[in-house]
Amino acid sequence: MSQIRVVVAGYGNVGRGVIAALKNNPDMILAGIVSRNPDRVKKTVSGIPVMQIADADQWIAELRPDVAILCGGSKDDLPVQGPALCAKVCTVDSFDNHSRIPEYFKTMDSAANAAGKVAVISTGWDPGIFSLERTLGNAFLPGSRAYGFYGLGESGGLSMGHSDALRTIPGVKDARQYTHAVTGSIEKVRRGENPDFTAGDMHTRECFVVLEDGADPEKVAETIRTMPGYFAPYKTEINFVSQEYLNEKCAGFPHDGLVVAAGVTGSGNPARVEYRCQWGSNPEATANVMVAHARAAVRLAREGRSGAFTILDIPASYFSTASKEELLAKFM
Ligand SMILES: NC(=O)c1ccc[n+]([C@@H]2O[C@H](COP(=O)([O-])OP(=O)(O)OC[C@H]3O[C@@H](n4cnc5c(N)ncnc54)[C@H](OP(=O)(O)O)[C@@H]3O)[C@@H](O)[C@H]2O)c1
């Protein structure tokens, strides 16, 4: 089978991660990068075609992608780029606005079906791998609830969304936010209590903030602590630091998480399933998962399938480069 031709749509953290991941997947080749700002991309990339994302007919004709991996942001980019592009080429994206996934699925399903294309949506680690683990936990232990905890290590996990939220506050020059799981709450779940948690029962938030010259730390701290959704429901620690400290101590994008479901089997014996991910780089990990889904998207398309798919709809063997025989012999 010829190599799968992949176009990376959007050049940010995840886009760079996909380009790096493709080097470890010899059945795939980077056909090109498309961006709203090709000039910005060309400053750091050479030897790869870089085109304007809006010129979809042109780059599809020139780059001949089997699949485009959409690496734009979930808030503003994917709701527009997803339906427009899956009407022209098979796509994979990591749309992570959980409450809007049903609506996004519907839009993508209808656009992709009308065009006879496959659109794999909302993959990565959460949503993505953790969605699958929640589903399996609940199916194998009926009545159990699967809980997600993030930031289990000592330094916690870097939340890019919460870091972005901090940076929108007037007076904040730069910031990072680390999420910490409340270990006592994990133990309650492990004991099979299936508790009703508020968000603040499960996680705390640790902020590292660099202030603009002359900014009032009290005012910034108050804005952080009362920010609805992001910080107000949580115990939040705020550390004001220098830019040098932030650059040195808060480099990279580490994150981790755990899905845990506990219940009982037939005659009341306790049972628990757990699935843990640890990532030195959240965007690179997300990219790795997306690349495996690109392989699956192409396989589905070659079978004549179309419409939107999630990780829950795709057989695990479609992600793998291993043959059926290898899977049966080595992975069962
Ligand atoms: N499912 C999961 O587990 C999971 C995990 C992590 C992230 N995600 C999702 O992945 C999305 C992308 O994350 P990300 O970290 O790659 O976001 P990002 O770095 O902000 O990039 C998003 C888009 O912004 C543009 N961009 C990037 N850097 C820029 C710059 N310096 N100046 C101007 N524009 C720039 C790029 O589009 P253009 O090249 O077109 O300008 C890029 O595709 C997130 O929104 C999140 O929804 C999902």
Side-chain angles (χ1 to χ4, degrees):
M1 203 166 73
S2 57
Q3 277 179 307
I4 293 168
R5 295 179 62 78
V6 176
V7 157
V8 170
Y11 189 72
N13 300 309
V14 172
R16 282 188 289 275
V18 169
I19 293 165
L22 287 172
K23 295 184 182 129
N24 298 325
N25 287 270
D27 60 327
M28 301 194 191
I29 186 165
L30 177 63
I33 302 168
V34 298
S35 163
R36 285 165 294 196
N37 189 343
D39 289 340
R40 173 175 54 81
V41 181
K42 283 177 190 166
K43 280 183 193 148
T44 55
V45 163
S46 60
I48 302 163
V50 180
M51 299 179 72
Q52 170 54 245
I53 194 169
D55 299 333
D57 290 330
Q58 193 188 341
W59 58 258
I60 289 168
E62 285 183 29
L63 305 177
R64 294 174 289 106
D66 295 298
V67 58
I69 302 187
L70 312 187
C71 304
S74 295
K75 187 168 168 285
D76 299 322
D77 302 342
L78 294 174
V80 179
Q81 293 173 352
L85 292 178
C86 80
K88 293 175 182 288
V89 62
C90 293
T91 59
V92 173
D93 70 56
S94 70
F95 183 78
D96 71 353
N97 187 341
H98 288 255
S99 64
R100 296 189 62 192
I101 287 176
E103 175 194 334
Y104 185 67
F105 182 94
K106 226 168 155 182
T107 307
M108 293 294 280
D109 193 46
S110 123
N113 255 327
K117 303 293 180 194
V118 167
V120 177
I121 71 151
S122 297
T123 200
W125 64 294
D126 196 354
I129 311 173
F130 277 20
S131 319
L132 179 62
E133 297 307 322
R134 281 189 283 267
T135 306
L136 295 180
N138 181 258
F140 300 157
L141 296 176
S144 71
R145 282 162 62 182
Y147 297 79
F149 290 95
Y150 310 90
L152 290 98
E154 200 182 319
S155 346
L158 179 79
S159 166
M160 292 152 85
H162 286 78
S163 301
D164 287 344
L166 289 174
R167 287 190 287 264
T168 64
I169 296 170
V172 172
K173 186 175 165 209
D174 201 354
R176 305 275 189 286
Q177 193 274 173
Y178 292 84
T179 301
H180 294 269
V182 175
T183 46
S185 298
I186 301 176
E187 293 313 316
K188 279 188 183 171
V189 176
R190 284 180 168 150
R191 286 196 295 270
E193 294 180 19
N194 285 316
D196 282 321
F197 286 132
T198 64
D201 294 331
M202 296 174 73
H203 296 100
T204 62
R205 306 210 169 271
E206 183 184 25
C207 307
F208 293 90
V209 178
V210 182
L211 291 172
E212 303 271 17
D213 284 345
D216 176 356
E218 287 306 317
K219 202 169 159 196
V220 169
E222 181 62 12
T223 310
I224 295 171
R225 289 210 172 88
T226 55
M227 194 185 280
Y230 283 91
F231 297 103
Y234 300 90
K235 184 174 161 228
T236 299
E237 181 186 314
I238 301 166
N239 304 287
F240 292 109
V241 297
S242 67
Q243 185 72 58
E244 293 70 33
Y245 181 94
L246 197 78
N247 294 348
E248 195 182 319
K249 297 281 181 202
C250 305
F253 301 96
H255 217 323
D256 69 339
L258 171 78
V259 172
V260 51
V264 291
T265 49
S267 57
N269 286 299
R272 185 169 91 213
V273 292
E274 296 194 9
Y275 186 89
R276 171 113 193 241
C277 291
Q278 280 182 283
W279 311 121
S281 163
N282 176 3
E284 282 192 6
T286 303
N288 272 33
V289 180
M290 293 175 87
V291 165
H293 281 70
R295 178 178 298 117
V298 172
R299 287 177 171 166
L300 290 166
R302 287 179 181 162
E303 289 174 358
R305 308 279 298 276
S306 68
F309 295 79
T310 69
I311 194 170
L312 305 182
D313 307 311
I314 302 173
S317 60
Y318 283 35
F319 301 127
S320 173
T321 52
S323 66
K324 175 93 179 176
E325 292 70 27
E326 276 176 294
L327 290 171
L328 289 174
K330 296 184 190 159
F331 290 84
M332 287 299 294

Short mmCIF file of all heavy atoms in Angstrom, two decimals, residues 196-237:
data_model
loop_
_atom_site.label_atom_id
_atom_site.label_comp_id
_atom_site.label_asym_id
_atom_site.label_seq_id
_atom_site.Cartn_x
_atom_site.Cartn_y
_atom_site.Cartn_z
N ASP A 196 -20.67 11.88 44.58
CA ASP A 196 -21.08 13.06 43.81
C ASP A 196 -20.11 14.17 44.15
O ASP A 196 -20.19 14.77 45.22
CB ASP A 196 -22.50 13.50 44.21
CG ASP A 196 -23.55 12.62 43.58
OD1 ASP A 196 -23.36 12.23 42.42
OD2 ASP A 196 -24.54 12.30 44.27
N PHE A 197 -19.20 14.45 43.26
CA PHE A 197 -18.21 15.49 43.50
C PHE A 197 -18.63 16.80 42.85
O PHE A 197 -19.24 16.80 41.78
CB PHE A 197 -16.87 15.12 42.85
CG PHE A 197 -16.09 14.03 43.54
CD1 PHE A 197 -15.56 12.99 42.80
CD2 PHE A 197 -15.86 14.08 44.91
CE1 PHE A 197 -14.81 12.00 43.41
CE2 PHE A 197 -15.11 13.10 45.53
CZ PHE A 197 -14.59 12.05 44.78
N THR A 198 -18.23 17.91 43.48
CA THR A 198 -18.22 19.17 42.74
C THR A 198 -16.85 19.23 42.06
O THR A 198 -15.93 18.49 42.44
CB THR A 198 -18.36 20.39 43.67
OG1 THR A 198 -17.20 20.42 44.52
CG2 THR A 198 -19.62 20.32 44.51
N ALA A 199 -16.69 20.12 41.09
CA ALA A 199 -15.40 20.22 40.39
C ALA A 199 -14.27 20.46 41.38
O ALA A 199 -13.19 19.87 41.27
CB ALA A 199 -15.47 21.34 39.36
N GLY A 200 -14.52 21.31 42.37
CA GLY A 200 -13.48 21.67 43.35
C GLY A 200 -13.11 20.52 44.28
O GLY A 200 -12.07 20.57 44.93
N ASP A 201 -13.95 19.50 44.37
CA ASP A 201 -13.60 18.34 45.20
C ASP A 201 -12.52 17.50 44.54
O ASP A 201 -11.82 16.73 45.20
CB ASP A 201 -14.82 17.42 45.40
CG ASP A 201 -15.92 18.08 46.22
OD1 ASP A 201 -15.58 18.94 47.05
OD2 ASP A 201 -17.10 17.74 46.01
N MET A 202 -12.42 17.60 43.20
CA MET A 202 -11.55 16.68 42.46
C MET A 202 -10.18 17.27 42.13
O MET A 202 -9.21 16.54 42.01
CB MET A 202 -12.24 16.24 41.16
CG MET A 202 -13.52 15.45 41.42
SD MET A 202 -14.41 15.07 39.92
CE MET A 202 -13.38 13.80 39.20
N HIS A 203 -10.15 18.60 41.95
CA HIS A 203 -8.89 19.23 41.51
C HIS A 203 -8.65 20.56 42.21
O HIS A 203 -9.61 21.24 42.58
CB HIS A 203 -8.92 19.48 39.98
CG HIS A 203 -9.00 18.21 39.20
ND1 HIS A 203 -10.18 17.73 38.67
CD2 HIS A 203 -8.04 17.30 38.87
CE1 HIS A 203 -9.95 16.58 38.06
NE2 HIS A 203 -8.66 16.30 38.16
N THR A 204 -7.37 20.90 42.36
CA THR A 204 -7.00 22.25 42.79
C THR A 204 -6.16 22.88 41.67
O THR A 204 -5.70 22.17 40.77
CB THR A 204 -6.19 22.23 44.09
OG1 THR A 204 -4.97 21.50 43.86
CG2 THR A 204 -6.97 21.58 45.22
N ARG A 205 -5.98 24.19 41.77
CA ARG A 205 -5.27 24.88 40.69
C ARG A 205 -4.12 25.71 41.25
O ARG A 205 -4.27 26.38 42.28
CB ARG A 205 -6.25 25.78 39.91
CG ARG A 205 -7.46 24.99 39.43
CD ARG A 205 -8.05 25.52 38.15
NE ARG A 205 -9.03 24.60 37.60
CZ ARG A 205 -8.77 23.61 36.76
NH1 ARG A 205 -7.53 23.41 36.35
NH2 ARG A 205 -9.73 22.81 36.31
N GLU A 206 -2.99 25.63 40.57
CA GLU A 206 -1.79 26.35 41.00
C GLU A 206 -1.36 27.26 39.84
O GLU A 206 -1.11 26.78 38.73
CB GLU A 206 -0.68 25.32 41.31
CG GLU A 206 0.60 25.92 41.83
CD GLU A 206 1.68 24.84 42.02
OE1 GLU A 206 1.65 23.79 41.35
OE2 GLU A 206 2.60 25.09 42.82
N CYS A 207 -1.29 28.55 40.13
CA CYS A 207 -1.01 29.52 39.06
C CYS A 207 0.36 30.15 39.27
O CYS A 207 0.71 30.53 40.40
CB CYS A 207 -2.05 30.65 39.05
SG CYS A 207 -3.74 30.05 39.00
N PHE A 208 1.11 30.30 38.19
CA PHE A 208 2.37 31.06 38.18
C PHE A 208 2.16 32.24 37.25
O PHE A 208 1.88 32.04 36.06
CB PHE A 208 3.53 30.18 37.72
CG PHE A 208 3.85 29.09 38.71
CD1 PHE A 208 3.21 27.85 38.61
CD2 PHE A 208 4.73 29.31 39.75
CE1 PHE A 208 3.48 26.85 39.54
CE2 PHE A 208 5.00 28.31 40.69
CZ PHE A 208 4.37 27.08 40.59
N VAL A 209 2.24 33.44 37.82
CA VAL A 209 1.82 34.63 37.07
C VAL A 209 2.95 35.66 37.05
O VAL A 209 3.52 35.99 38.09
CB VAL A 209 0.56 35.26 37.74
CG1 VAL A 209 0.13 36.52 37.02
CG2 VAL A 209 -0.57 34.25 37.80
N VAL A 210 3.24 36.16 35.86
CA VAL A 210 4.18 37.28 35.71
C VAL A 210 3.34 38.53 35.47
O VAL A 210 2.49 38.55 34.56
CB VAL A 210 5.11 37.06 34.48
CG1 VAL A 210 6.11 38.22 34.38
CG2 VAL A 210 5.81 35.72 34.56
N LEU A 211 3.56 39.55 36.33
CA LEU A 211 2.75 40.77 36.21
C LEU A 211 3.40 41.77 35.25
O LEU A 211 4.63 41.83 35.12
CB LEU A 211 2.61 41.44 37.58
CG LEU A 211 1.76 40.69 38.61
CD1 LEU A 211 1.86 41.37 39.98
CD2 LEU A 211 0.30 40.63 38.16
N GLU A 212 2.53 42.55 34.60
CA GLU A 212 3.02 43.72 33.84
C GLU A 212 3.58 44.72 34.85
O GLU A 212 3.13 44.75 36.01
CB GLU A 212 1.86 44.43 33.12
CG GLU A 212 1.06 43.58 32.17
CD GLU A 212 1.62 43.57 30.76
OE1 GLU A 212 2.80 43.96 30.59
OE2 GLU A 212 0.90 43.15 29.86
N ASP A 213 4.52 45.58 34.41
CA ASP A 213 5.04 46.62 35.31
C ASP A 213 3.87 47.46 35.84
O ASP A 213 3.02 47.89 35.06
CB ASP A 213 6.00 47.56 34.54
CG ASP A 213 7.34 46.86 34.34
OD1 ASP A 213 7.57 45.84 35.03
OD2 ASP A 213 8.10 47.31 33.47
N GLY A 214 3.83 47.66 37.15
CA GLY A 214 2.82 48.54 37.76
C GLY A 214 1.49 47.86 38.02
O GLY A 214 0.58 48.49 38.58
N ALA A 215 1.32 46.59 37.64
CA ALA A 215 0.03 45.92 37.88
C ALA A 215 -0.16 45.67 39.37
O ALA A 215 0.82 45.46 40.11
CB ALA A 215 -0.02 44.62 37.11
N ASP A 216 -1.41 45.68 39.81
CA ASP A 216 -1.74 45.49 41.23
C ASP A 216 -1.96 43.99 41.51
O ASP A 216 -2.95 43.41 41.05
CB ASP A 216 -3.01 46.30 41.54
CG ASP A 216 -3.48 46.09 42.98
OD1 ASP A 216 -2.88 45.27 43.70
OD2 ASP A 216 -4.48 46.74 43.35
N PRO A 217 -1.04 43.36 42.27
CA PRO A 217 -1.18 41.91 42.50
C PRO A 217 -2.49 41.53 43.18
O PRO A 217 -3.07 40.49 42.86
CB PRO A 217 0.02 41.57 43.39
CG PRO A 217 0.69 42.84 43.76
CD PRO A 217 0.14 43.94 42.92
N GLU A 218 -2.96 42.38 44.12
CA GLU A 218 -4.22 42.05 44.82
C GLU A 218 -5.38 41.98 43.84
O GLU A 218 -6.23 41.09 43.90
CB GLU A 218 -4.52 43.12 45.89
CG GLU A 218 -3.61 43.05 47.12
CD GLU A 218 -3.62 41.65 47.75
OE1 GLU A 218 -4.71 41.06 47.86
OE2 GLU A 218 -2.54 41.14 48.09
N LYS A 219 -5.41 42.95 42.93
CA LYS A 219 -6.50 43.01 41.96
C LYS A 219 -6.45 41.81 41.01
O LYS A 219 -7.47 41.18 40.71
CB LYS A 219 -6.37 44.32 41.15
CG LYS A 219 -7.66 44.78 40.53
CD LYS A 219 -7.53 46.18 39.98
CE LYS A 219 -8.60 46.41 38.95
NZ LYS A 219 -8.32 47.56 38.11
N VAL A 220 -5.24 41.48 40.57
CA VAL A 220 -5.08 40.33 39.65
C VAL A 220 -5.50 39.05 40.38
O VAL A 220 -6.24 38.22 39.84
CB VAL A 220 -3.63 40.24 39.13
CG1 VAL A 220 -3.39 38.91 38.41
CG2 VAL A 220 -3.31 41.41 38.20
N ALA A 221 -5.06 38.90 41.64
CA ALA A 221 -5.39 37.69 42.40
C ALA A 221 -6.91 37.56 42.57
O ALA A 221 -7.48 36.47 42.43
CB ALA A 221 -4.70 37.72 43.76
N GLU A 222 -7.57 38.68 42.85
CA GLU A 222 -9.03 38.67 43.03
C GLU A 222 -9.72 38.26 41.72
O GLU A 222 -10.66 37.46 41.71
CB GLU A 222 -9.47 40.07 43.48
CG GLU A 222 -10.95 40.25 43.75
CD GLU A 222 -11.48 39.36 44.87
OE1 GLU A 222 -10.68 38.76 45.60
OE2 GLU A 222 -12.73 39.23 44.96
N THR A 223 -9.21 38.79 40.60
CA THR A 223 -9.80 38.45 39.28
C THR A 223 -9.64 36.96 39.02
O THR A 223 -10.55 36.30 38.51
CB THR A 223 -9.12 39.28 38.16
OG1 THR A 223 -9.12 40.64 38.54
CG2 THR A 223 -9.84 39.11 36.84
N ILE A 224 -8.46 36.43 39.38
CA ILE A 224 -8.25 34.99 39.15
C ILE A 224 -9.22 34.18 40.02
O ILE A 224 -9.96 33.33 39.52
CB ILE A 224 -6.79 34.59 39.48
CG1 ILE A 224 -5.82 35.27 38.52
CG2 ILE A 224 -6.62 33.07 39.41
CD1 ILE A 224 -4.34 35.10 38.89
N ARG A 225 -9.23 34.49 41.32
CA ARG A 225 -10.02 33.65 42.26
C ARG A 225 -11.51 33.67 41.95
O ARG A 225 -12.21 32.72 42.26
CB ARG A 225 -9.78 34.11 43.70
CG ARG A 225 -8.41 33.76 44.20
CD ARG A 225 -8.36 33.53 45.71
NE ARG A 225 -7.05 33.00 46.05
CZ ARG A 225 -6.00 33.76 46.34
NH1 ARG A 225 -6.13 35.08 46.37
NH2 ARG A 225 -4.83 33.22 46.60
N THR A 226 -11.98 34.75 41.31
CA THR A 226 -13.43 34.86 41.08
C THR A 226 -13.80 34.55 39.62
O THR A 226 -14.95 34.74 39.24
CB THR A 226 -13.92 36.29 41.43
OG1 THR A 226 -13.13 37.24 40.68
CG2 THR A 226 -13.78 36.58 42.91
N MET A 227 -12.84 34.08 38.83
CA MET A 227 -13.15 33.83 37.42
C MET A 227 -14.08 32.62 37.30
O MET A 227 -13.71 31.49 37.66
CB MET A 227 -11.85 33.58 36.62
CG MET A 227 -12.08 33.65 35.12
SD MET A 227 -10.58 33.21 34.20
CE MET A 227 -9.66 34.71 34.30
N PRO A 228 -15.31 32.83 36.80
CA PRO A 228 -16.27 31.74 36.78
C PRO A 228 -15.77 30.56 35.92
O PRO A 228 -15.14 30.78 34.90
CB PRO A 228 -17.53 32.36 36.14
CG PRO A 228 -17.29 33.82 36.08
CD PRO A 228 -15.81 34.06 36.17
N GLY A 229 -16.09 29.36 36.35
CA GLY A 229 -15.74 28.18 35.56
C GLY A 229 -14.28 27.81 35.72
O GLY A 229 -13.95 26.70 36.13
N TYR A 230 -13.40 28.72 35.45
CA TYR A 230 -11.96 28.42 35.42
C TYR A 230 -11.36 28.27 36.81
O TYR A 230 -10.62 27.33 37.09
CB TYR A 230 -11.20 29.50 34.66
CG TYR A 230 -11.36 29.38 33.16
CD1 TYR A 230 -12.38 30.05 32.48
CD2 TYR A 230 -10.50 28.58 32.43
CE1 TYR A 230 -12.52 29.92 31.11
CE2 TYR A 230 -10.63 28.44 31.06
CZ TYR A 230 -11.64 29.11 30.41
OH TYR A 230 -11.77 28.98 29.06
N PHE A 231 -11.63 29.26 37.71
CA PHE A 231 -10.96 29.23 39.03
C PHE A 231 -11.91 29.33 40.21
O PHE A 231 -11.61 28.80 41.27
CB PHE A 231 -9.90 30.36 39.11
CG PHE A 231 -8.81 30.18 38.08
CD1 PHE A 231 -8.79 30.94 36.93
CD2 PHE A 231 -7.84 29.21 38.25
CE1 PHE A 231 -7.80 30.74 35.96
CE2 PHE A 231 -6.85 29.00 37.29
CZ PHE A 231 -6.83 29.78 36.15
N ALA A 232 -13.06 30.01 40.02
CA ALA A 232 -13.96 30.24 41.16
C ALA A 232 -14.36 28.93 41.86
O ALA A 232 -14.41 28.90 43.10
CB ALA A 232 -15.19 31.02 40.70
N PRO A 233 -14.59 27.83 41.15
CA PRO A 233 -15.02 26.62 41.87
C PRO A 233 -13.89 25.87 42.57
O PRO A 233 -14.15 24.83 43.19
CB PRO A 233 -15.61 25.73 40.76
CG PRO A 233 -15.69 26.56 39.53
CD PRO A 233 -14.67 27.64 39.69
N TYR A 234 -12.64 26.33 42.43
CA TYR A 234 -11.50 25.54 42.90
C TYR A 234 -10.71 26.25 43.99
O TYR A 234 -10.65 27.48 44.02
CB TYR A 234 -10.53 25.28 41.74
CG TYR A 234 -11.17 24.54 40.60
CD1 TYR A 234 -11.78 25.23 39.56
CD2 TYR A 234 -11.17 23.14 40.56
CE1 TYR A 234 -12.37 24.56 38.50
CE2 TYR A 234 -11.77 22.46 39.51
CZ TYR A 234 -12.36 23.18 38.49
OH TYR A 234 -12.95 22.51 37.46
N LYS A 235 -10.03 25.45 44.81
CA LYS A 235 -9.01 26.01 45.69
C LYS A 235 -7.85 26.39 44.77
O LYS A 235 -7.32 25.54 44.02
CB LYS A 235 -8.58 24.93 46.70
CG LYS A 235 -7.60 25.42 47.71
CD LYS A 235 -7.35 24.32 48.76
CE LYS A 235 -6.04 24.63 49.45
NZ LYS A 235 -5.15 23.50 49.54
N THR A 236 -7.48 27.68 44.80
CA THR A 236 -6.51 28.17 43.82
C THR A 236 -5.33 28.83 44.52
O THR A 236 -5.53 29.75 45.33
CB THR A 236 -7.19 29.18 42.86
OG1 THR A 236 -8.25 28.51 42.19
CG2 THR A 236 -6.21 29.73 41.84
N GLU A 237 -4.12 28.37 44.21
CA GLU A 237 -2.91 28.99 44.77
C GLU A 237 -2.30 29.88 43.69
O GLU A 237 -2.18 29.46 42.53
CB GLU A 237 -1.93 27.87 45.15
CG GLU A 237 -0.66 28.37 45.77
CD GLU A 237 0.34 27.22 45.99
OE1 GLU A 237 -0.07 26.16 46.51
OE2 GLU A 237 1.50 27.41 45.62
#
